[in-house]
Amino acid sequence: MNYSFSNRIAALQPSIIREILKASSGQNVIPFSAGNPAPETFPIEAIRTFTQSILEHDPVTALQYGITEGYVPLREALTQHLKTGFDTGKASDQLFIVSGAQQGIELACKVFCNEGDTIICESPSFIGSLNSFRASGAKLAGIPMEMDGMDIEKLEQALQTEPNVKLIYVIPSFQNPTGVTTSLAKRQAIYELAKKYGVMILEDNPYGELRFNGDDVPTIKSMDDEGLVIYVGSFSKILSAGLRVGFVQAPHEVVEKMVVAKQGEDVHTAMLPQILAYKFMTEYDYAGHINNIREVYRRKATLMMDKLQEQMGKSITYTKPDGGLFLWCDLPAHVPMLEYAKTAATQGVAVVPGNAFLVNEQDPCNAIRLNFSTPSDEQIVKGVEILGQVLKGYNA
């Protein structure tokens, strides 16, 4: 059979990260390429206890169809949590549950973007979102990232010159892949520009509760008096990535359209994981659990940065994240990044080439993304030592 794929799908390539993860799944590979939460942070016993309780006392609700908007008690608990913790949620907003934040991102794109419309995003940015945008047929306009967020002057230039801009996509807190946190001033500037040019903001905040240094910065959604912000979050990094429970908070009219679009994709998010997430929020030491995760990631991030300094010193530069899962490492100009990443892989350390996160993967990039949440402390020490040895091979 000669298959004729749709225009939207034919040109898409597999996620480089997913391919690397498949290649680095062996027991002897150190997974700096992953973006997974630390396994030791999973509340396994609580999930086991809650699951048993649900199946004993309310099995029909857990195993039956639910409404597309999501399990009502979970939506109510989340709405209150976001109001208290993040000051989001105006009277005109509504919250609904999605199958992971990735679905929320895809649905936002689906309801706002026609083929050929433009989505402005940080560059580099999360490859999963970039692929969703590409699959929609949208044109991507990348705005370079600085140490405090995207270049605001270039953002306005793009808003002035790019055709049919429909969304500005941002990951303001501990960005994937750079680990950068957008400053309050830049968050305000992004919102004001969106208001000026009449463009929606898609604020992706999967790492918002994972700050381990410094003070919280207000979300862009907390500034939203005009109904411009679609706010996406997830339980993936604080409960379990495999349960696939995320949420969207957006103006009521926007949610209505996103719910209709979701009905055509999966009808509703699986009920058992939703009820587990609700019990996790209301019957578990939620605050204590979050604090534990922060301590784990503080230790791991500090260990990785200390070892990078020890092994490579001034040969490299890297971001110093205040939370999240990642840091961005710039190699010396004379070191060929892709070759370096491949050599590291042959030595048992998997990293992600930085160009995987660019709007245009052919643009120059001499950086790699490193993840500190997935590997053990011992793997971090050994892995950075190997990366240092590989680098010395280029300096000889």
Side-chain angles (χ1 to χ4, degrees):
M1 177 66 183
N2 184 21
Y3 299 105
S4 180
F5 296 112
S6 69
N7 292 337
R8 290 186 173 188
I9 295 298
L12 290 183
Q13 298 298 317
S15 162
I16 291 178
I17 298 174
R18 291 293 151 192
E19 296 303 304
I20 289 174
L21 283 175
K22 282 190 280 187
S24 63
S25 59
Q27 291 184 348
N28 296 323
V29 176
I30 297 173
F32 289 173
S33 58
N36 302 340
E40 62 266 35
T41 67
F42 294 156
I44 295 173
E45 287 304 317
I47 291 174
R48 180 181 291 115
T49 299
F50 288 147
T51 301
Q52 182 177 351
S53 174
I54 292 165
L55 294 178
E56 284 182 358
H57 299 106
D58 197 10
V60 174
T61 301
L63 301 177
Q64 187 57 276
Y65 284 119
I67 62 173
T68 306
E69 289 85 350
Y71 184 56
V72 172
L74 175 60
R75 291 165 60 202
E76 291 174 346
L78 268 170
T79 299
Q80 182 59 48
H81 177 67
L82 292 178
K83 188 66 178 176
T84 302
F86 296 90
D87 193 27
T88 72
K90 301 292 191 291
S92 57
D93 284 323
Q94 185 176 339
L95 182 144
F96 77 110
I97 306 300
V98 287
S99 300
Q102 179 72 41
Q103 185 181 51
I105 292 163
E106 191 271 340
L107 290 173
C109 182
K110 180 177 285 187
V111 302
F112 277 102
C113 296
N114 295 311
E115 193 165 352
D117 287 343
T118 299
I119 298 174
I120 294 175
C121 52
E122 301 158 331
S123 188
S125 187
F126 173 47
I127 191 171
S129 297
L130 297 182
N131 276 341
S132 284
F133 301 153
R134 291 173 180 131
S136 74
K139 175 187 176 184
L140 302 183
I143 308 300
M145 285 293 284
E146 300 176 322
M147 292 308 296
D148 61 345
M150 65 166 63
D151 185 320
I152 297 300
E153 182 177 341
K154 291 184 178 178
L155 171 60
E156 183 157 26
Q157 290 174 359
L159 287 165
Q160 292 171 339
T161 59
E162 295 290 343
N164 302 320
V165 177
K166 294 297 181 66
L167 293 171
I168 302 170
Y169 174 67
V170 292
I171 312 172
S173 296
F174 327 121
Q175 196 238 22
N176 182 3
T178 64
V180 164
T181 293
T182 300
S183 66
L184 176 58
K186 283 198 171 181
R187 295 180 191 218
Q188 293 168 332
I190 292 167
Y191 184 76
E192 290 302 318
L193 286 174
K195 184 163 60 174
K196 178 179 178 180
Y197 291 94
V199 176
M200 297 293 293
I201 296 171
L202 179 54
E203 182 177 14
D204 188 8
N205 195 28
Y207 316 109
E209 300 209 55
L210 301 183
R211 173 176 287 279
F212 48 72
N213 285 322
D215 298 323
D216 287 331
V217 183
T219 62
I220 302 175
K221 183 62 177 171
S222 69
M223 308 170 191
D224 188 20
D225 295 319
E226 303 287 335
L228 297 176
V229 182
I230 303 167
Y231 183 85
V232 181
S234 173
F235 284 93
S236 290
K237 305 304 186 292
I238 60 173
L239 175 57
S240 159
L243 289 177
R244 309 308 303 136
V245 179
F247 55 89
V248 175
Q249 188 176 61
H252 179 80
E253 296 90 337
V254 174
V255 168
E256 281 188 338
K257 292 298 184 184
M258 293 178 76
V259 166
V260 172
K262 179 175 168 62
Q263 288 170 348
E265 293 189 358
D266 62 359
V267 183
H268 67 83
T269 301
M271 290 300 295
L272 179 57
Q274 288 191 72
I275 302 173
L276 281 171
Y278 169 69
K279 286 184 172 291
F280 171 67
M281 292 194 74
T282 60
E283 299 181 24
Y284 193 67
D285 182 7
Y286 182 91
H289 177 73
I290 297 300
N291 285 334
N292 176 63
I293 296 175
R294 290 172 175 171
E295 288 300 321
V296 170
Y297 291 168
R298 178 186 290 110
R299 187 192 73 248
K300 287 190 166 190
T302 300
L303 178 61
M304 178 171 277
M305 290 186 286
D306 287 348
K307 295 302 293 185
L308 286 170
Q309 186 63 36
E310 173 188 305
Q311 295 294 319
M312 304 186 209
K314 296 181 180 179
S315 297
I316 61 166
T317 59
Y318 51 89
T319 54
K320 298 175 176 61
D322 291 322
L325 311 182
F326 309 106
L327 58 85
W328 186 251
C329 180
D330 287 294
L331 300 173
H334 70 278
V335 176
M337 180 270 294
L338 285 174
E339 181 182 304
Y340 177 87
K342 291 176 182 177
T343 303
T346 65
Q347 300 297 314
V349 181
V351 301
V352 185
N355 64 304
F357 304 96
L358 300 182
V359 167
N360 180 0
E361 293 184 4
Q362 305 308 312
D363 285 347
C365 180
N366 218 42
I368 56 175
R369 190 194 74 175
L370 301 178
N371 165 256
F372 51 79
S373 62
T374 307
S376 66
D377 291 6
E378 293 75 15
Q379 287 178 318
I380 290 173
V381 171
K382 182 179 178 181
V384 175
E385 288 176 352
I386 292 172
L387 292 181
Q389 292 167 4
V390 173
L391 184 63
K392 289 175 184 175
Y394 290 95
N395 295 333

